[in-house]
Amino acid sequence: MSSTGQDSTTTRHRRSRHNPQSPLHDSSVTSKRNIKKGAVPRSSPNLAEVKKKGKMKKLSQAVEDDLIMGLQELDMNSEAKVLVGTGLVFDEQLNEFHCLWDESFPERPERLHAIKEQLIQEGLLDRCVSFQARFAEKEELMLVHSLEFIDLMETTQYMSERELQVLADTYDSVYLHPNSYTCTCLASGSVLRLVDAVLGAEIRNGMAIIRPPGHHAQRSHMDGYCMFNHVAVAARYAQKKHRIRRVLIVDWDVHHGQGTQFTFDQDPSVLYFSIHRYEQGRFWPHLKASNWSTTGFGPGQGYTINVPWNQVGMRDADYIAAFLHILLPVAFKFQPQLVLVAAGFDALQGDPKGEMAATPAGFAHLTHLLMGLAGGKLILSLEGGYNLRSLAEGVSASLHILLGDPCPMLESPGAPCPSAQASIYCTLEALEPFWEVLVRPAETPKEYSAEDGVQEIKEEGPWEPPVLPIPTWPLLQARTGLVYDQRMMSHCNIWDSHHPETPQRILRIMCHLEELGLSERCVTLPVRPATEAELLTCHSAEYVERLRATEKMKTQELHCEGANFDSIYICPSTFTCAQLATGAACRLVEAVLSGEVLNGVAVVRPPGHHAEQDAACGFCFFNSVAVAARHAQAISGHAMRILIVDWDIHHGNGTQHIFEDDPSVLYVSLHRFDRGTFFPMGDEGASSQVGRAAGTGFTVNVAWNGPRVGDAEYLAAWHRLVLPIAYEFNPELVLVSAGFDAARGDPLGGCQVSPEGYAHLTHLLMGLGNGRIILILEGGYNLTSISESMAACTHALLGDLPPQLALLRPPQSGALASITETIQVHRRYWRSLRITKVANKEGLSSSESVTKKVPQQANPRLAKGITMPKSKVLEAGMRKATSALSAEESTPGQTIPEAANVALTQDQSLETAARRATLDKAPSEETGGEAPVHQATSEAATGGVVLHPTTSEEAERGAELIQTPQASCTKEQTPAPSLMPEATTLLSPSHLTGNPRTLELGGEAQETLEPQALGEENLLGEAAGGQDMADLKLTQGFQDLADTNEGILYAVTPLPWCPHLVVVRPTPAASLDVTQPCEDCGTLQENWLCLSCYQVYCSRYVNAHMVQHHEASGHPLVLSYIDLSTWCYPCQAYVHHQDLLDVKNITYQKKFGEDMPHPH
């Protein structure tokens, strides 16, 4: 089976791998059938084409990369070895660090110990290809991190415990150890080693079992247990060294990987997908950038995908639904060449941080779904996971899948909960402008009830199984069974040698399987005829006897008997062949259910899915799939749940009728309908046909109304409809009516499904039923097409990963309409299809609940797991307010007196200010929900926390601040120290010098807290646009405060030092212009000066160009032209230090025409 070049733009003819001169179609078929022009298969680019491509264009870097990738994808060796092997990096050196001052810190060496014990117990270590960890070089780390930050981390090797703790306390939820730097370099290097091995074709996939985690780490900033961002470094490394153009990063850790997102949010070459706990911003890291509304910036818009969970207890069904509806459609369109997974297992049930209810089996399914991407080039890098048992079993489950083991059955899959459906819908709507594959036709949502005459499926509450289910992994003697018997070729049309249902069909398939060495890799099982008892489970005794009688009929009688049925010919061998075909399917069922093989292929004829209980139809005599399903239920001794997927281009009318009242068999058919004019014609294949009686809802028809349906349409149906229903049904066995007349070049189907497309459809179904899946040949009448298509499916069943698809066009609008029609019909029966419009979308993301993260806690291990209450939430114009006080100087839980009421007026409208997200206060219980937009930050209103909304640039992407009322914290969740633990000094007018917005406290510049706003005109001047009001009014307000001695004003204490001061460049005094507009948009409203390159850009409240400049350049420190405050992006804090006085003084001189008072 040939792969297809990534950048092929023209349709090429497919030739046989072993005979390049073979004709495109079988001559015996093409001479008699009208094949749609242009419906020709594609092939790999040959060497001449690739060379010609290189000569016709100037070899720019992009063209050169295309040429290299084209050469890599050439099918140079028809007998190429199938890539196998799973790499594993596990190094004991990674356990040589821990928290010196807190032995109970969750990120500890015991995590890797537990994983190792589990892998040894299950025998997985010996099955993997072991790789030695290596250290990441500085040059490699610099692909993501700044040299200054790396150098700072390197110095931690020589620090004392006290120095390490002081430095760690400047970051959020981290600790440092003398070995932290060495181990983190080793962890990053471990992932890079696997990148080399996977892209160098040493192995097909791999897992790095490493610590510390990395996905929170930013360019110059530690965060959330993370120092260096392993996955981000690996992505850049793959792009630079291996010239990989497209990388998919999937982050399923329960915490949002903000570090990874910020690294790539302007880069369309890296698709970042994160599914994480959010709870309207109350869960760490408390960033608005973690919500579904953040989709990337500039050229990277649409390449950041966030699926935020807004409640705890999310289950496997919720995660799988997000993958099916969002990730897989986008990923198939994006076509990654490498998939990296930030594999945190803190969403597993029992994890103290995540509080979710996913299972190890669920993560096995997620891994399986990802293995169909990038030609199977998949690397998992361990992130979080803090319940040792859950962590070990989650890692083990994913590793089983990487090794090719089947997915375990899900204990209770069900359907996504309403909260998950709402999150998925919002994410879909945010991404629709960028991904046409996600666009859904307009629907009319409908609530279903018993009044509709439909038995409504009961909504489930949060699922809490008593114990964590342990996946079971079958011990297989062999993987794929194969049934074929040449005797089935004796059924033939003795009147028309050109009939499409020719004996050559199965012969050509078997020859091709043998040529590719696939038949040798399968277990060939002996074929037996179906017994009469087996046939009678689906057919009447009279009909069986009627067919048996044809064995003794004369030629004329046979012709007359065939004419009594629809599209049937009969010969003396017909009964025997039909009996063998059905018996072969039953034999394969026996082998699969007994564990003799995992899955199987039945190369049989005549086909069977049109055969009715008492009538032959459409080349079919006995319904092999239906009889096999009943045989499986008989063997199991119960009404085994069986999924039958019929992808033959013709509707399987016989199968539908046999099971239409049986809820134990879910029948799903995708077929050409053409509004009832395509065989077998009539309305039996319409989407409105849903079954009857107890089987209502268990017949699902996707009715195509035209030709040229291809991979894009079938994958869309799989992602939106087939797999969601299948996972909700949770079958114990999957049977496929595998007709290949929807394949490219088929004379009857007129469609365009590729062999690679069939491989992907098969791979996706293999996650169901514990991997027990059987493909039974139905139709397909182009001998080349059916041979290549069946071979592609057999590859998949054998565990060979599907090749990358050719660039997918968007699904046809007519096909999408067919899918949507079926979804609307079946939404009343299947909750997994109810991804519909959310009435109050703003409630999932608005300022009512989205907030900014709390400051550094005295005990860092508590910060990452803490959840903030939903009430009393404010938006602030900074990402993190940081106190310079030590833990000893701050008293957690202290009460802060009510802030003074100082009127700051502003001439901007409420609408404009609100759009810039200043201080939007949710209505509090104390005020009966009537609070103004901007309230006084009193103890009663804010739970004892005072905010400092300054003009300053906040760090990234609308990050905002969460308040925590002290009384609401549990014993386990120690409240965060107050934002303003130090500033409790009454201010008098004598303290005010220079710019009235900057106060002098004890020799240090302190920025004022914004006061209570009394009306629409009293919006925060700085955060809402920076337009100064009369200084007299502000000064008078402070005078009144001092005179009455009522109230106290508080200020944020800036950091006295930060590690990024070393990058401040000498001040170019002559070139500073405080009136200079933003270099990107020309605004004069609120601008900032970069202290590394001295370029000027606007605030995040204008057009966020300084934020974008920081992301692109990594320059950490910026100075406000409004109030001369200095903000550090990596530290997420204001900084005041001697090294900044020169630039502040020069700026002050330019702004006010005099030296800055007290420049110390």
Side-chain angles (χ1 to χ4, degrees), residues 807-829:
L807 185 62
L808 290 176
R809 55 169 171 74
Q812 298 177 29
S813 59
L816 287 181
S818 296
I819 296 170
T820 301
E821 184 178 272
T822 305
I823 290 173
Q824 289 178 327
V825 168
H826 280 273
R827 188 172 284 146
R828 67 179 63 189
Y829 312 114

Side-chain angles (χ1 to χ4, degrees), residues 807-997:
L807 185 62
L808 290 176
R809 55 169 171 74
Q812 298 177 29
S813 59
L816 287 181
S818 296
I819 296 170
T820 301
E821 184 178 272
T822 305
I823 290 173
Q824 289 178 327
V825 168
H826 280 273
R827 188 172 284 146
R828 67 179 63 189
Y829 312 114
W830 302 98
R831 288 186 295 117
S832 55
L833 301 181
R834 298 176 192 172
I835 308 295
T836 55
K837 188 170 185 177
V838 177
N840 181 22
K841 196 173 61 173
E842 289 303 313
L844 300 176
S845 66
S846 69
S847 58
E848 170 187 305
S849 54
V850 177
T851 56
K852 174 185 174 7
K853 69 178 180 180
V854 294
Q856 174 67 38
Q857 301 215 6
N859 185 347
R861 75 185 177 89
L862 296 172
K864 188 174 177 182
I866 206 167
T867 304
M868 299 302 171
K870 188 173 183 179
S871 61
K872 308 184 191 309
V873 178
L874 301 181
E875 279 194 55
M878 60 179 180
R879 188 177 198 176
K880 177 182 177 183
T882 306
S883 172
L885 284 180
S886 66
E888 292 82 358
E889 295 170 319
S890 173
T891 305
Q894 71 184 69
T895 302
I896 299 178
E898 182 171 326
N901 296 336
V902 184
L904 265 182
T905 61
Q906 224 273 67
D907 63 357
Q908 288 190 321
S909 69
L910 177 62
E911 179 182 359
T912 302
R915 188 166 58 246
R916 285 179 182 160
T918 53
L919 260 167
D920 297 334
K921 175 72 169 64
S924 66
E925 296 176 6
E926 290 82 349
T927 59
E930 299 298 325
V933 174
H934 301 289
Q935 291 194 351
T937 51
S938 66
E939 178 183 347
T942 66
V945 178
V946 182
L947 301 180
H948 173 235
T950 173
T951 179
S952 97
E953 193 70 39
E954 87 172 309
E956 272 90 11
R957 319 292 184 240
E960 295 158 345
L961 177 65
I962 288 181
Q963 292 178 294
T964 310
Q966 307 284 353
S968 69
C969 293
T970 64
K971 185 175 181 180
E972 291 74 19
Q973 295 177 324
T974 304
S978 165
L979 276 174
M980 320 304 168
E982 182 182 48
T984 57
T985 307
L986 178 66
L987 301 180
S988 67
S990 62
H991 291 102
L992 291 170
T993 58
N995 185 346
R997 294 200 180 196

Side-chain angles (χ1 to χ4, degrees), residues 45 132-133 204 247 316 391 408 477-478 529 538 578 724 769 777 780 859 1091 1130:
Q132 184 68 37
R204 72 175 182 180
V247 179
D316 297 335
L391 170 65
Q477 300 298 319
C538 295
L777 180 65
N859 185 347
L1091 298 183

Side-chain angles (χ1 to χ4, degrees), residues 622-857:
F622 294 136
N623 200 310
S624 302
V625 165
V627 173
R630 289 299 187 216
H631 188 54
Q633 292 179 328
I635 293 173
S636 66
H638 70 281
M640 171 183 276
R641 295 187 308 278
I642 297 175
L643 167 64
I644 298 177
V645 176
D646 190 338
W647 68 43
D648 189 283
I649 198 60
H650 302 94
H651 176 241
N653 53 291
T655 312
Q656 174 173 306
H657 290 148
I658 289 170
F659 297 111
E660 61 186 349
D661 61 352
D662 186 349
S664 70
V665 177
L666 172 61
Y667 176 69
V668 180
S669 177
L670 302 93
H671 51 269
R672 274 188 68 176
F673 183 61
D674 294 14
R675 296 175 177 81
T677 64
F678 199 78
F679 187 89
M681 293 174 285
D683 63 355
E684 293 299 313
S687 61
S688 58
Q689 299 292 318
V690 297
R692 61 182 181 85
T696 301
F698 292 89
T699 294
V700 182
N701 285 311
V702 179
W704 310 128
N705 284 311
R708 294 183 296 280
V709 180
D711 295 344
E713 289 75 24
Y714 276 81
L715 284 171
W718 247 239
H719 296 150
R720 299 185 183 194
L721 173 64
V722 177
L723 290 174
I725 291 177
Y727 269 102
E728 187 173 348
F729 180 66
N730 198 25
E732 299 167 87
L733 175 67
V734 179
L735 301 177
V736 179
S737 278
F740 295 106
D741 37 9
R744 276 187 314 225
D746 190 273
L748 301 188
C751 291
Q752 299 175 348
V753 181
S754 69
E756 295 84 1
Y758 281 118
H760 280 277
L761 300 183
T762 303
H763 174 80
L764 291 169
L765 292 175
M766 287 169 62
L768 302 164
N770 210 183
R772 297 186 294 193
I773 177 173
I774 296 172
L775 271 62
I776 301 172
L777 180 65
E778 296 284 359
Y781 307 101
N782 177 292
L783 302 188
T784 301
S785 297
I786 63 173
S787 300
E788 293 189 348
S789 298
M790 183 59 93
C793 295
T794 306
H795 269 293
L797 293 176
L798 285 165
D800 303 340
L801 297 177
Q804 286 191 283
L805 292 171
L807 185 62
L808 290 176
R809 55 169 171 74
Q812 298 177 29
S813 59
L816 287 181
S818 296
I819 296 170
T820 301
E821 184 178 272
T822 305
I823 290 173
Q824 289 178 327
V825 168
H826 280 273
R827 188 172 284 146
R828 67 179 63 189
Y829 312 114
W830 302 98
R831 288 186 295 117
S832 55
L833 301 181
R834 298 176 192 172
I835 308 295
T836 55
K837 188 170 185 177
V838 177
N840 181 22
K841 196 173 61 173
E842 289 303 313
L844 300 176
S845 66
S846 69
S847 58
E848 170 187 305
S849 54
V850 177
T851 56
K852 174 185 174 7
K853 69 178 180 180
V854 294
Q856 174 67 38
Q857 301 215 6

